[in-house]
Every structure is written in C-alpha cells, then in structure tokens.
Amino acid sequence: MLAQVLVSSVTAGAVYALIALGFVLIHKGTGVVHFGYGDQVTFGAYLVLIAQMAVTGLPFWPAVFIALVVSALLGALIYGGFMWPLRNASLLAKIIASLALGTVLREFVRAFMGPNAWPFPFLLSQTAVPVGGVLVVPANLAIVGVSLGILAILFLLFEKTLFGKAIMAACDNRIGASLIGVRVSHVFLLIWVVASVLATVAGVLVAPLLTLSPDMGLIGIKGFTAAVLGGFNSLPGAVLGGILLGILEALVGTYISSALKDMISYGILIAVILIRPQGLLGGLLVKKV
Amino acid sequence: MLSVRDLHAGYGNKTVLQGVSLDVPQGAVIALLGANGAGKSTLLKSIVGLLERSSGTIELNGHPLPNATPDRALKAGVALVPEQRELFLTLSVEDNLRLGGFLRRRSHQLDAECERLLTIFPALRKRTAQPARTLSGGEQQMLAIARALMGRPSILLLDEPSLGLAPKIVEEIFDIVRQIRAEGTAVLLVEQNAAMALDVAEYGYVMDLGEVTMKGSADELKASSMIRNSYL
C-alpha cells in the first residue's frame, strides 16, 4: 500500500518539480517571483489544443512542438515587452506586472476557449501494469520520465558547462558577468524563454492528470510551494521540494482525507516560512548592500 | 597602445569626465592618481564599456573600441578589475576563475590557464572548491585579478587593488602587478597609495574634477611639490 502511494505520488511530484524549477530560474535571473507562472502552465497546454484547431487534422505531437515554439516566443515577448522595460522598476511593479500577465493569459483562454474543461490526451497508455507488486501506469511513467529527463539536462547544463555557469554568474552578479564578456540581457532573455518552455512542458504533462480549464493555473501555487520548500534559490532544492510535496500530498490523501490534500500544500508553505525560511537546501541569503 | 582622447562620460545627465586624454604604452604600468570623486573609476568604467561615453574616442592599437559593449572591449584585449571586485560570490573559486575565460571557451586551454594563474596566486589553490564569498578580502582581490587575467588581456585596468587590505597583502598585490608587466601585459593602476603606485609605475597621471591636471614620469611626479603635499 505504502509503496503504491509512493509510486503514484512521484508523478505529481515530478510536475511540481518542473514548475518549481521555472519559478526558481526566473527568480534567480530577475529577482521576481513570477505569480503568473501557473497561468503560463495552463496556457501552454491550451496552445496544443489551439494549434490542433488552427490546423485541422494536426496530430498531437506536432501540435506539442508548435506549442513549445510559441511558448518560447511568448517568453521572449514577456522579457522584451515587460521585464526588460521594467528592469529598473521597483520589485512591487515587477510582481504586479507578472500577476497581470498571468491574468491576461488566463482570461484569454477563458474568452476564446470557454470556461469549461477540455479533454487532454495522456502521453502513454493509462492501463496499469504490475511491476514487482506495484501497479505502474505507463502514462504516469512518461510524466516522470520527461520531467527527470529535463531536470537532468538542466543539471548538466548548470553544473558541467561553462555556458551554464555563465548563466549562474549573470544571476549572481550582473556587473561581474558583463566584465567577463557575458551579455547579461541575452542571458535573461534565455531564462525567460527556457522557463516559458518549461511551463508548457509542465502544462502538457499535467493537463491530463487534472482537468484542463482556465483555472488549472492554481497548480502554480504547488510549484511555488515546492520552490519555497527547496529554498527558492536552489535548483536541486526545487526538485527535492517538488517530489516531497507530491509524496506528502499523496500520504495525506490516502491515510487522512483526499479533501485535505490541497490544504496541505498551503499549510506546508506557511510552516516553511515560519520554521525554515531558507528552505531545505537554500543557503542563508546574504543581503547585498 | 591604449589611447584615450577627449573623453566625456558620466551618469545620466551628470557629466563626470570633462575631456580626458591619456595613453598607456604596450607593457607599461601607468599610475592614475587623484582624490576621491576625481573621476578615476568613471574613466576605467568608460574604457571597458560599463559606462556609455558621450563623446571622445578610445583606441587600442589604432582600432577604436566600441561604445558601451564590455564583451567587445574584452575581446579587443582590455580587462577591468573594479574597485568592488564584482566576484560571483555564490560560485566556487574555480568557477569564478574559469568564467574569466568565458569568451575563450576552449576547455583544455582554460585548464592550462587556470593552472598558470594558480601558480601566480598560490593562496587561491587550496580554496578552489570553496564559494568565493568565504574568501578573505585579500584573497577576493587576488581572485578578481586572476579572473580578469584569464581572458589574456593586453591591458589590465586595476581600480584601487590595495583598498582595505593589510600592508603585507598590499605588498603582494604590488608584486603581482610587477609580475603581470613582466609577462607583457600593460597595467593602468588607480591607487590611493601614491608612493607605492609611483614606485611600480613608469609614468603617471593626476586627475581632479574629471580632468587630467598633471602628468609626467614617475620620478617627476614623485619630485613634484603638489604631489608631495597632496598624496605622498
């Protein structure tokens, strides 16, 4: 029973980890908590449907590809249209801009795609296969696999390549990064593009699990919680936070009450802020003067 | 080699540099002296393109340096170690060092270059895995200089490298300046410690209120009564 719960919960956890990673990337790069990020996740899933409506008979995978390309462009637009012009604005202005952005995306899909839920295909079959006494659903396995693959790529990028280190360097110290020849504005553009593509990947993965409606963006709060749990400035922390949150939710859902599941993530958010504000893997933030 | 002509630059509407001209010949150490607020740091920042210049030209070996593009200045061979050092404090010492060679990229070259610099800065060697924020002030200064040298610049701009450091460390820093020159890299050295700066430099400039008010060989400047009264 417990093994079954753990296996199932990893699916949700993997998606939370992806969303948390997007939050952390954007926060590291721009100092902004992007409260519209959850809506970008929803919007990304809708992009697949929109592509299939625009081109009649377009199969699922090419539609996903188009959605990824469009979301990359959206990321570039968000940076060029909002965040670059606002780079010297107050943090509050940036946060309000990110909230407004999310609302614009959410209400766009509500207006054009309606308020009701849409069916969204799983990547693989939903028929459970018994593996070593535990039922494993191929569809869920695909979600975990894709998430882990992306996490691994990002890990290799940031830990093993000079280019990835340069991105970290630009997040750490903009002047220093300029001095070593890094074009900081290009790095931030890249971060927005990558985070926006990540949002769409998460959207495509999570849409069949939840129901795809304009308000699916509430999942953003889960990703945010996972990010806070992990320390908000640590990429491995975001992943750990996501997986832990998934497991905790599943344990509560199974052994206590599934109605309390969502309450737990908010409860954890409050508890972490009170007890361990630096998160599980986050170092103490040193305020720069 | 580096020649600055009639440079005007500043922050927003406020012009700090009121037409500065200055030369740094190949392989020389040139001292730049002056009181706080004279515009020395502003001059260095506009040379590397951290600050946009409003008029004037900067040439390196006869080729004009583009305005406000630090990456192109660096490619041309000008590197700055700023007064604030601007290290990547959350990254390891080794990462900081390797990132200095970001524009050169070839990883086997970077390894050899890291090794060379760790020989020049032995204090950093046992700290390569530590985050840069755990270094002492002197070590951070060494790392900032080493990072700038990773790009193999033909001219290094050093802004107050001895500021806030213990006398023994200051000695070490000046030894390193001599060593950098011995390897053929020119140095434009901004220093509060005029006596030490003029000991290592061949030539010097004095700035005040955004202009060059005096220039001459190190010996001439040391002998000048104005310098004696104000800076030595």
Side-chain angles (χ1 to χ4, degrees), chain A residues 49-107:
Chain A
L49 297 183
I50 293 171
Q52 283 184 312
M53 283 176 179
V55 185
T56 358
L58 187 71
F60 179 66
W61 284 108
V64 169
F65 178 74
I66 290 173
L68 292 176
V69 172
V70 172
S71 52
L73 294 176
L74 176 69
L77 183 72
I78 293 173
Y79 179 66
F82 293 81
M83 292 306 168
W84 170 251
L86 286 177
R87 67 192 180 283
N88 296 325
S90 71
L91 184 60
L92 197 60
K94 291 180 189 169
I95 288 176
I96 288 172
S98 82
L99 260 175
L101 186 81
T103 309
V104 166
L105 293 176
R106 186 169 66 243
E107 297 313 318

Side-chain angles (χ1 to χ4, degrees), chain B residues 176-209:
Chain B
I176 283 159
V177 171
R178 290 189 180 88
Q179 207 172 333
I180 292 169
R181 169 175 53 196
E183 297 194 359
T185 302
V187 178
L188 179 55
L189 176 64
V190 167
E191 245 317 319
Q192 291 287 325
N193 190 333
M196 287 188 84
L198 289 174
D199 274 342
V200 54
E202 288 97 55
Y203 201 86
Y205 291 82
V206 180
M207 280 181 72
D208 191 29
L209 300 174

Side-chain angles (χ1 to χ4, degrees), chain A residues 1-11 134 246-248 250-251 254:
Chain A
M1 179 70 174
L2 181 64
Q4 183 66 56
V5 171
L6 291 180
V7 167
S8 314
S9 63
V10 170
T11 314
V134 176
I247 291 175
L248 273 171
L251 289 177
T254 310

Side-chain angles (χ1 to χ4, degrees), chain A:
Chain A
M1 179 70 174
L2 181 64
Q4 183 66 56
V5 171
L6 291 180
V7 167
S8 314
S9 63
V10 170
T11 314
V15 177
Y16 297 159
L18 275 188
I19 301 174
L21 212 56
F23 269 110
V24 171
L25 268 181
I26 291 174
H27 182 257
K28 262 176 121 67
T30 60
V32 178
V33 179
H34 179 25
F35 285 114
Y37 196 60
D39 295 306
Q40 269 189 269
V41 172
T42 315
F43 188 73
Y46 270 104
L47 278 176
V48 177
L49 297 183
I50 293 171
Q52 283 184 312
M53 283 176 179
V55 185
T56 358
L58 187 71
F60 179 66
W61 284 108
V64 169
F65 178 74
I66 290 173
L68 292 176
V69 172
V70 172
S71 52
L73 294 176
L74 176 69
L77 183 72
I78 293 173
Y79 179 66
F82 293 81
M83 292 306 168
W84 170 251
L86 286 177
R87 67 192 180 283
N88 296 325
S90 71
L91 184 60
L92 197 60
K94 291 180 189 169
I95 288 176
I96 288 172
S98 82
L99 260 175
L101 186 81
T103 309
V104 166
L105 293 176
R106 186 169 66 243
E107 297 313 318
F108 172 88
V109 293
R110 206 193 305 279
F112 289 93
M113 304 293 286
N116 299 324
W118 286 78
F120 201 92
F122 277 95
L123 300 185
L124 291 176
S125 144
Q126 274 179 276
T127 317
V129 181
V131 177
V134 176
L135 287 177
V136 176
V137 183
N140 292 353
L141 213 57
I143 293 173
V144 176
V146 170
S147 304
L148 290 183
I150 289 175
L151 298 176
I153 290 170
L154 288 176
F155 176 79
L156 289 177
L157 173 72
F158 288 122
E159 287 298 316
K160 301 290 170 200
T161 72
L162 195 62
F163 184 72
K165 300 275 187 197
I167 296 175
M168 293 287 105
C171 297
D172 183 294
N173 186 325
R174 294 175 191 204
I175 298 174
S178 301
L179 285 174
I180 59 164
V182 174
R183 293 206 169 178
V184 176
S185 57
H186 292 193
V187 170
F188 293 157
L189 172 67
L190 184 72
I191 285 179
W192 277 99
V193 167
V194 168
S196 301
V197 170
L198 268 182
T200 294
V201 172
V204 169
L205 294 179
V206 83
L209 284 181
L210 309 171
T211 41
L212 179 56
S213 73
D215 295 314
M216 193 182 81
L218 284 174
I219 181 109
I221 297 288
K222 302 283 180 63
F224 177 72
T225 307
V228 171
L229 198 56
F232 225 93
N233 57 356
S234 153
L235 296 174
V239 176
L240 184 72
I243 304 285
L244 270 181
L245 183 62
I247 291 175
L248 273 171
E249 274 191 356
L251 289 177
V252 171
T254 310
Y255 293 105
I256 303 174
S257 147
S258 62
L260 287 178
K261 219 171 80 169
D262 281 356
M263 204 189 83
I264 293 301
S265 63
Y266 296 86
I268 290 172
L269 183 58
I270 295 169
V272 169
I273 290 169
L274 286 177
I275 300 162
R276 201 175 156 81
Q278 74 272 34
L280 298 174
L281 292 191
L284 278 174
L285 285 176
V286 182
K287 271 266 181 231
K288 262 191 219 161
V289 184

Side-chain angles (χ1 to χ4, degrees), chain B residues 21-175:
Chain B
S21 297
L22 161 152
D23 287 282
V24 181
Q26 190 142 21
V29 175
I30 304 296
L32 182 56
L33 311 175
N36 281 331
K40 304 176 306 275
S41 297
T42 309
L43 175 60
L44 298 195
K45 283 184 201 161
S46 8
I47 292 175
V48 294
L50 273 186
L51 269 183
E52 197 169 350
R53 50 184 188 263
S54 41
S55 70
T57 58
I58 302 173
E59 288 186 353
L60 188 69
N61 299 322
H63 300 289
L65 283 183
N67 198 354
T69 47
D71 55 321
R72 287 164 73 182
L74 194 62
K75 266 185 194 143
V78 188
L80 167 67
V81 180
E83 192 183 331
Q84 310 296 334
R85 296 168 196 148
E86 311 292 359
L87 293 171
F88 310 120
L89 295 177
T90 58
L91 301 185
S92 73
V93 168
E94 187 184 354
D95 284 345
N96 271 271
L97 203 51
R98 293 178 69 86
L99 279 165
F102 174 70
L103 287 180
R104 294 152 51 89
R105 293 266 175 90
R106 298 267 159 73
S107 65
H108 59 281
Q109 276 180 7
L110 287 186
D111 289 340
E113 202 67 20
C114 273
E115 191 48 46
R116 187 179 78 89
L117 286 164
L118 289 176
T119 323
I120 302 178
F121 300 93
L124 298 178
R125 189 179 287 278
K126 48 185 183 296
R127 310 221 180 275
T128 48
Q130 286 176 221
R133 79 180 120 79
T134 61
L135 297 185
S136 70
E139 287 164 342
Q140 288 196 1
Q141 187 63 54
M142 305 271 180
L143 180 57
I145 297 175
R147 184 181 73 180
L149 289 174
M150 278 293 285
R152 284 247 176 203
S154 49
I155 171 164
L156 184 69
L157 315 180
L158 277 177
D159 198 352
E160 306 271 9
S162 72
L163 196 69
L165 301 181
K168 186 172 154 285
I169 311 282
V170 174
E171 286 287 350
E172 278 179 46
I173 300 257
F174 275 94
D175 282 342

